[in-house]
């Protein structure tokens, strides 16, 4: 490495984290010189003590200031009655004087003295390369705008966020903002524009503004509002495409009608990244036509590389749009159901969340509900659903502060059953969180012979009783995948892993656990009790394969943290493999520990019951993420 040219070293060091760069600093003088520029190029200061230390560092080593390109801070430079001195250590003065290559300053809620000092420096020719000056939130918007007006030659990004200062009135009333709009074409290098403020105007209102910025690549526009307002729709006029815009981030209330959706399609023909967010408390009348939504989504799905869209539709339009989505693209065969609280008692609008490979339906929950909000929708569309995901973190009562009479006795079990009854064509089912730990289906649940694949995600409790109940109503299940996230390397504890699917014959059972020691190598061993129609059998397995053992050996393994494979096999040879034992009093263990070579060892005991099982896979996610595939 000492023979590598300086240029190659600098390229290699550009990919390293701060901790790695610090190690490189201590290696040699050559490595110090090659890494120092990256180590001091980006600095984040959020505390007064950090400000003091960094100011001292720059004063003691003048050349370090030449490396600084990005400076980020939190509320360090705001002013209040509790903090009358805005820069007690003089850090800004030092940055202005010692950091001529500074390109970016990002601050949160900086006060007027901060912007006056930056303006003074710019007027005096200091900070000549500054390209980005961002005020995330605060009540000094006019001071910020007056400052960026001094950067017309170099600025590439503008961030306008009033932080609620003008809430209740249009930002257009700000004199500084009006001046900025008038002179926006003079920012010759401007590429990114962010506008976050109160307004009742829709996206096409900003058409002239976009045309005045020929190099514009990224546009973000979203609105603050405390009440619903009827958005002002601009009259129809010729649309000049802006092919340079590749990133668009806007609120749904800016484009929730036919003209605005078609405006997006025509205005941004080469869009690559699109985010449309939605706040159920904002937006005006929701009158968008389903055909316009389908045209818009079809365009986005076919041409935009990455997108995340939330839109609110009337119930009838939602059914039409959902049906079209699942029919025109294979990736939307899986439907995810979640819920949101809606204060409007008579609104049954449904929110769609659409991404490249994800379709989420959000149902409105009201205090006055007398039936589950999904029933009306699924009664019409449930027969078309072939793949379904239920997440009980977002169940119907998750947003209610005080459950009403209908929801007071809410039960995840009955909720899950009701949804399954409405989806008779279901072939694949994914359950997450609490729904995976429900149990005891009622006897009158009809058999569903279509489901072939079952996935259970985020299982915390290793006993998953719902699996057996699912096998009662879905006896044709062939593939079961269980994702467990409770494997704790620091707390070895008894953990019975009971997988009971006695009504199904499985082709594949997959168990996935996660460890958290990314820097350790891992050894894995499993002990398995398999009960099928042919009776109980016992196995031990590691990376090398699967070996049959006796009931006594399994009992020994389940009660020892570190049983050796040799002791298991010796014990197995002393008794008949058909020996019967009572396992009800066993303490099954899932244990993690380190051996003499400081390697992480993981032992897991399983008790699996099913009619038959052809293949069992274990995937312990770790630095190597090895999978163990065992055939019984």
């Amino acid at each position: 490495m000492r023979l590598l040219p300086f240029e190659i070293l600098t390229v290699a060091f550009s990919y390293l984290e701060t901790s790695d760069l610090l190690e490189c600093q201590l290696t040699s003088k050559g490595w110090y010189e090659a890494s120092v520029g990256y180590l001091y190029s980006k600095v984040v200061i959020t505390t007064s003590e950090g400000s003091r230390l960094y100011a001292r560092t720059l004063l003691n080593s003048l050349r370090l200031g030449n490396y600084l390109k990005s400076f980020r801070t939190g509320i360090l430079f705001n002013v209040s009655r509790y903090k009358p001195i805005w820069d007690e250590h003089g850090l800004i003065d030092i940055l202005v004087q010692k950091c001529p290559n500074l390109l970016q300053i990002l601050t949160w809620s900086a006060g007027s003295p901060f912007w006056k000092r930056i303006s003074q420096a710019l007027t005096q020719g200091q900070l000549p390369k500054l390209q980005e000056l961002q005020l995330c939130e605060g009540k000094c918007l006019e001071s910020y705008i007056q400052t960026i007006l001094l950067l017309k030659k170099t600025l590439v990004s503008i961030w306008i966020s009033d932080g609620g200062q003008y809430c209740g009135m249009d930002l257009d009333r700000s004199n500084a903002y009006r001046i900025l709009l008038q002179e926006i074409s003079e920012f010759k290098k401007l590429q990114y524009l962010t506008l976050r403020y109160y307004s009742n105007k829709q996206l096409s209102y900003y058409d002239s503004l976009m045309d005045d910025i020929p190099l514009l690549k990224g546009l973000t526009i979203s609105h603050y509002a405390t009440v619903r307002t009827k958005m002002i729709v601009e009259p129809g006029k010729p649309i000049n495409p802006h092919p340079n815009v590749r990133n668009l981030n806007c609120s749904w209330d800016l484009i929730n009608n036919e003209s605005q959706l078609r405006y997006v399609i025509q205005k941004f023909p080469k869009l690559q990244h699109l985010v449309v967010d939605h706040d159920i408390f904002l937006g005006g009348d929701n009158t968008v036509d389903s055909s316009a939504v389908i045209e818009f989504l079809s365009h986005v799905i076919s041409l935009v590389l990455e997108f995340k869209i939330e839109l609110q539709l009337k119930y009838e339009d939602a059914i039409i749009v959902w049906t079209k989505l699942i029919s025109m693209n294979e990736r939307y065969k899986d439907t995810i159901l979640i819920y949101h609280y809606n204060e409007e008692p008579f609104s049954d609008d449904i929110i769609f969340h659409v991404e490249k490979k994800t379709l989420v339906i959000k149902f409105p929950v009201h205090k006055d509900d007398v039936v589950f909000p999904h029933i009306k929708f699924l009664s019409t569309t449930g027969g078309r659903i072939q793949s379904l995901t239920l997440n009980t973190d977002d169940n119907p009562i998750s947003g209610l502060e005080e459950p009403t009479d209908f929801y007071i006795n809410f039960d995840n079990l009955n909720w899950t059953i009701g949804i399954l009854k409405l989806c008779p064509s279901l072939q694949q089912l994914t359950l997450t969180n609490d729904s995976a730990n429900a149990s005891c289906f009622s006897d009158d649940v009809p058999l569903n012979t279509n489901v072939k694949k079952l996935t259970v995600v985020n299982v915390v409790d290793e006993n998953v009783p719902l699996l057996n109940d699912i096998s009662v109503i879905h006896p044709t299940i062939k593939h079961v995948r269980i994702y467990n996230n409770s494997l704790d390397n620091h707390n070895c504890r008894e953990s019975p892993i009971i997988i009971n699917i006695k009504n199904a014959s499985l082709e594949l059972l997959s168990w996935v656990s996660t460890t958290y020691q990314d820097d350790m190598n891992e050894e894995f061993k499993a002990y398995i009790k398999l009960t099928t129609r042919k009776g109980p059998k016992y196995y031990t397995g590691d990376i090398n394969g699967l070996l049959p053992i006796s009931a006594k050996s399994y009992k020994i393994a389940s009660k020892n943290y570190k049983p050796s494979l040799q002791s298991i096999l010796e014990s197995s040879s002393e008794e008949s493999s058909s020996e019967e034992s009572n396992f009800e009093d066993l303490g099954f263990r899932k244990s993690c520990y380190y051996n003499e070579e400081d390697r992480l060892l993981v032992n897991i005991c399983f008790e699996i019951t099913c009619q038959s099982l052809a293949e069992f896979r274990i995937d312990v996610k770790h630095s190597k993420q090895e999978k163990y595939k065992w055939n019984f």
Side-chain angles (χ1 to χ4, degrees):
M1 290 293 288
R2 289 181 298 177
L3 301 179
L4 287 177
F6 181 84
E7 292 79 6
I8 294 180
L9 281 176
T10 55
V11 173
F13 290 155
S14 67
Y15 294 95
L16 298 183
E17 300 293 335
T18 300
S19 57
D20 299 321
L21 290 171
L22 288 171
E23 294 290 335
C24 294
Q25 296 257 292
L26 302 176
T27 303
S28 66
K29 184 176 180 180
W31 279 36
Y32 175 89
E33 293 296 332
S35 62
V36 67
Y38 293 108
L39 185 60
Y40 290 96
S41 64
K42 297 180 180 179
V43 174
V44 179
I45 303 293
T46 59
T47 65
S48 176
E49 178 63 12
S51 174
R52 183 186 68 83
L53 293 175
Y54 187 54
R56 187 182 67 180
T57 299
L58 291 178
L59 290 175
N60 291 339
S61 182
L62 297 180
R63 74 170 188 145
L64 293 183
N66 293 324
Y67 299 126
L68 184 63
K69 295 182 179 180
S70 174
F71 179 74
R72 295 172 179 251
T73 180
I75 60 172
L76 190 62
F77 299 120
N78 70 339
V79 179
S80 67
R81 61 178 179 175
Y82 306 105
K83 186 174 177 282
I85 302 177
W86 70 279
D87 185 16
E88 57 185 324
H89 304 295
L91 179 58
I92 295 301
D93 285 337
I94 297 174
L95 292 177
V96 166
Q97 298 169 14
K98 309 296 183 183
C99 304
N101 297 314
L102 189 58
L103 302 177
Q104 180 188 68
I105 298 178
L106 288 86
T107 181
W108 189 278
S109 192
S112 296
F114 173 86
W115 299 110
K116 289 180 180 179
R117 182 63 185 94
I118 297 297
S119 296
Q120 181 185 9
L122 295 172
T123 303
Q124 297 174 353
Q126 296 170 311
L127 302 176
K129 298 181 180 181
L130 196 60
Q131 297 179 354
E132 186 172 358
L133 189 59
Q134 186 178 109
L135 170 66
C136 294
E137 292 288 352
K139 296 186 177 181
C140 296
L141 184 59
E142 297 209 7
S143 297
Y144 166 75
I145 293 176
Q146 291 168 1
T147 302
I148 63 175
L149 286 171
L150 300 173
L151 289 166
K152 295 177 180 177
K153 294 182 179 180
T154 60
L155 208 64
V156 299
S157 175
I158 291 178
W159 180 292
I160 302 294
S161 177
D162 71 355
Q165 178 182 1
Y166 291 91
C167 190
M169 57 175 283
D170 203 312
L171 183 63
D172 291 340
R173 299 186 184 184
S174 164
N175 184 56
Y177 180 66
R178 289 199 301 270
I179 294 174
L180 175 64
L181 295 183
Q182 293 169 3
E183 300 181 6
I184 196 74
S185 60
E186 299 177 22
F187 288 80
K188 301 301 182 182
K189 295 184 178 181
L190 188 60
Q191 299 179 22
Y192 302 95
L193 176 64
T194 297
L195 301 176
R196 297 184 185 274
Y197 64 98
Y198 176 88
S199 179
N200 62 347
K201 300 179 177 66
Q202 296 202 288
L203 187 61
S204 60
Y205 170 80
Y206 303 95
D207 188 72
S208 299
L209 177 62
M210 299 179 218
D211 291 341
D212 286 340
I213 311 174
L215 299 181
L216 186 65
K217 293 182 179 179
L219 176 65
T220 298
I221 302 179
S222 61
H223 293 159
Y224 301 125
T226 56
V227 295
R228 286 183 176 271
T229 59
K230 187 172 183 178
M231 304 296 290
I232 296 177
V233 180
E234 289 296 299
K237 59 180 181 179
I239 299 174
N240 298 318
H242 203 314
N244 288 332
V245 176
R246 304 302 173 90
N247 303 317
L248 175 64
N249 187 328
C250 69
S251 305
W252 169 242
D253 56 301
L254 270 77
I255 59 172
N256 63 350
N257 60 60
E258 290 182 48
S259 65
Q260 298 303 308
L261 291 176
R262 294 195 172 102
Y263 174 82
V264 174
I265 294 175
Q266 297 177 40
K267 186 67 178 180
F268 312 111
K270 295 187 178 181
L271 205 60
Q272 295 183 353
H273 304 274
L274 173 64
V275 176
V276 179
D277 54 26
H278 177 60
D279 188 328
I280 61 174
F281 300 106
L282 303 184
D285 296 336
N286 188 29
T287 58
V288 64
D289 182 72
S290 60
S291 60
V293 175
I294 292 172
E295 179 187 358
F296 173 72
L297 291 178
S298 300
H299 172 81
V300 171
I301 291 171
S302 60
L303 297 179
V304 180
L305 293 179
E306 296 181 10
F307 55 88
K308 184 184 297 184
I309 302 172
E310 277 204 346
L311 46 89
Q312 182 174 341
L313 300 174
K314 296 296 184 183
Y315 166 75
E316 295 78 7
D317 293 323
I319 291 179
I320 296 173
V321 172
W322 179 85
T323 304
K324 185 64 176 179
L325 275 177
I326 64 171
S327 64
M328 73 180 183
N329 204 305
E330 284 289 329
R331 70 184 64 147
Y332 296 126
K333 292 300 182 184
D334 184 40
T335 301
I336 302 173
L337 304 186
I338 61 177
Y339 301 81
H340 69 88
Y341 178 61
N342 194 333
E343 290 184 341
E344 296 186 7
F346 303 108
S347 173
D348 61 354
D349 289 0
I350 292 175
I351 295 177
F352 278 1
H353 181 100
V354 186
E355 295 186 38
K356 198 72 173 179
K357 297 182 179 180
T358 304
L359 174 59
V360 181
I361 303 176
K362 295 183 179 181
F363 294 102
V365 174
H366 308 97
K367 294 186 295 184
D368 301 325
D369 284 344
V370 294
V371 295
F372 287 124
H374 60 262
I375 290 180
K376 185 178 178 182
F377 183 86
L378 293 182
S379 296
T380 305
T381 63
R384 296 173 175 264
I385 295 179
Q386 298 180 0
S387 179
L388 181 66
T389 296
L390 301 180
N391 185 339
T392 55
D393 276 352
D394 291 291
N395 64 41
I397 65 170
S398 58
L400 291 175
E401 295 182 1
E402 297 182 3
T404 57
D405 292 340
F406 176 71
Y407 290 113
I408 194 70
N409 296 317
F410 175 81
D411 180 77
N412 271 326
L413 169 63
N414 294 326
W415 168 66
T416 305
I417 293 173
I419 291 177
L420 295 179
K421 286 182 177 180
L422 293 170
C423 303
S425 301
L426 198 62
Q427 296 182 11
Q428 183 168 333
L429 175 64
T430 300
L431 303 174
T432 66
N433 302 315
D434 293 342
S435 60
N437 298 311
S439 62
C440 302
F441 276 112
S442 57
D443 295 333
D444 62 345
V445 177
L447 291 177
N448 184 327
T449 58
N450 293 310
V451 174
K452 300 295 190 298
K453 295 181 180 180
L454 171 65
T455 302
V456 184
V457 184
N458 292 337
V459 174
V460 176
D461 187 353
E462 286 78 7
N463 185 1
V464 192
L466 182 64
L467 291 175
N468 184 57
D469 297 323
I470 289 291
S471 73
V472 172
I473 61 173
H474 300 299
T476 56
I477 286 177
K478 296 299 181 183
H479 296 179
V480 177
R481 291 178 172 85
I482 305 172
Y483 294 83
N484 170 264
N485 64 356
S486 65
L487 186 57
D488 189 347
N489 293 338
H490 306 288
N491 183 19
C492 297
R493 58 185 178 85
E494 295 184 3
S495 304
I497 300 176
I498 301 173
I499 303 175
N500 186 4
I501 322 174
K502 65 182 180 182
N503 296 286
S505 297
L506 301 180
E507 295 175 357
L508 170 65
L509 174 61
S510 175
W511 175 269
V512 180
S513 287
T514 305
T515 63
Y516 307 106
Q517 295 286 338
D518 293 336
D519 57 346
M520 299 298 299
N521 293 318
E522 183 177 324
E523 293 179 0
F524 174 81
K525 194 180 299 297
Y527 302 94
I528 303 161
K529 175 188 176 183
L530 175 63
T531 303
T532 66
R533 286 174 295 192
K534 298 180 179 180
K537 294 184 178 181
Y538 307 90
Y539 303 88
T540 183
D542 58 18
I543 190 173
N544 297 312
L546 190 67
L547 293 173
I549 58 175
S550 67
K552 181 178 179 180
S553 301
Y554 181 82
K555 182 176 180 179
I556 293 174
S558 68
K559 286 195 171 184
N560 287 280
Y561 278 107
K562 297 184 287 186
S564 67
L565 182 58
Q566 183 63 29
S567 66
I568 296 293
L569 295 178
E570 289 177 356
S571 175
S572 179
S573 64
E574 297 175 357
E575 54 180 312
S576 170
S577 61
S578 62
E579 176 183 352
E580 296 292 335
S581 299
N582 182 6
F583 285 83
E584 293 181 357
D585 61 340
L586 292 186
F588 296 95
R589 295 179 184 273
K590 178 179 63 181
S591 57
C592 310
Y593 54 92
Y594 297 97
N595 66 3
E596 294 79 4
E597 299 176 357
D598 204 27
R599 293 173 63 88
L600 178 64
L601 308 181
V602 181
N603 284 353
I604 304 182
C605 281
F606 292 91
E607 182 175 297
I608 303 171
T609 302
C610 56
Q611 291 188 8
S612 64
L613 176 60
E615 186 177 315
F616 181 39
R617 291 182 184 175
I618 295 180
D619 182 4
V620 179
K621 289 188 175 180
H622 203 261
S623 55
K624 293 185 178 180
Q625 293 195 0
E626 297 186 60
K627 291 185 178 180
Y628 308 98
K629 173 182 174 181
W630 292 325
N631 295 320
F632 291 96

